[in-house]
Amino acid sequence: MPVDFGIDRVSTARLVGRRPEAGDATTYARMYTDARVAEEAWPEHLRTADRAHAVLAEFLGHWERWGFGSWTVLADGMPIGYVGLRHGDVGGRPEVELLWFLDADHWGHGYATEMAREVVRVAFDILELDAVVAETVDVNHASRAVMRKLGMSYERDIVHVGLPHVLYRLSR
């Protein structure tokens, strides 16, 4: 039985993060299949509705096992994406990864940075993690900007899902 950290819901000035639910599948699938996501940032063959459903199932399982994970992000009560944490193998090492993906309709409003800051607070102040990492393809300038705004530092180049990525780290 995982520890109950009391973090099923988190919030910022504009957003709410809540533990994901099976009913989020439609939102996740819509985001994953949105043609506005640049092919060079995330190839279409990796962004299928089936993959979105599998990711949601992984998130639900992570919460069950660890007592934390990725939150479904709500703006004005409507789901607009996810931001959170997950255990995983990143660049050949076990890490806790900070991740985010927002619906294209909500890009450019600072939401990813805003919610990621709250997730970093939870990671360090509540979960007492020593560090978190984040990764993206080199050409994903928006995600790299979020990483820098969080105070993360470039660590090294890695390969993820067969694509070259950059790895950033933030230590407590």
Side-chain angles (χ1 to χ4, degrees), residues 139-160:
V139 297
N140 190 339
H141 301 295
S143 282
R144 291 185 80 169
V146 170
M147 294 173 198
R148 287 190 299 273
K149 289 174 187 174
L150 296 173
M152 301 183 93
S153 299
Y154 168 81
E155 185 169 288
R156 62 191 167 104
D157 292 341
I158 62 171
V159 175
H160 176 68

Side-chain angles (χ1 to χ4, degrees), residues 116-138:
R117 280 193 178 116
E118 176 61 10
V119 172
V120 167
R121 184 196 67 76
V122 168
F124 293 156
D125 295 350
I126 296 173
L127 302 176
E128 298 181 350
L129 299 175
D130 292 325
V132 295
V133 299
E135 62 182 307
T136 190
V137 293
D138 187 55

Side-chain angles (χ1 to χ4, degrees), residues 34-116:
D34 192 319
R36 292 174 289 180
V37 177
E39 180 71 13
E40 63 274 8
W42 197 356
E44 187 176 7
H45 74 276
L46 298 173
R47 294 184 297 103
T48 65
D50 287 344
R51 181 67 190 133
H53 294 148
V55 165
L56 178 57
E58 290 170 18
F59 289 172
L60 294 170
H62 194 282
W63 273 95
E64 288 300 315
R65 179 172 182 191
W66 300 101
F68 69 90
S70 290
W71 290 266
T72 294
V73 178
L74 309 175
D76 298 321
M78 300 300 298
I80 64 164
Y82 60 77
V83 178
L85 300 164
R86 73 172 168 201
H87 285 276
D89 181 312
V90 180
R93 298 181 190 161
E95 302 277 7
V96 175
E97 181 182 10
L98 172 63
L99 58 151
W100 55 86
F101 186 36
L102 297 179
D103 185 294
D105 288 340
H106 300 279
W107 293 348
H109 300 286
Y111 290 160
T113 303
E114 182 176 328
M115 188 55 81

Side-chain angles (χ1 to χ4, degrees), residues 5-56:
F5 295 105
I7 55 172
D8 285 359
R9 287 180 81 81
V10 295
S11 61
T12 68
R14 301 182 295 168
L15 305 169
V16 171
R18 64 150 167 78
R19 192 169 172 162
E21 303 167 351
D24 294 331
T26 302
T27 297
Y28 283 34
R30 184 184 68 248
M31 293 182 337
Y32 269 63
T33 58
D34 192 319
R36 292 174 289 180
V37 177
E39 180 71 13
E40 63 274 8
W42 197 356
E44 187 176 7
H45 74 276
L46 298 173
R47 294 184 297 103
T48 65
D50 287 344
R51 181 67 190 133
H53 294 148
V55 165
L56 178 57

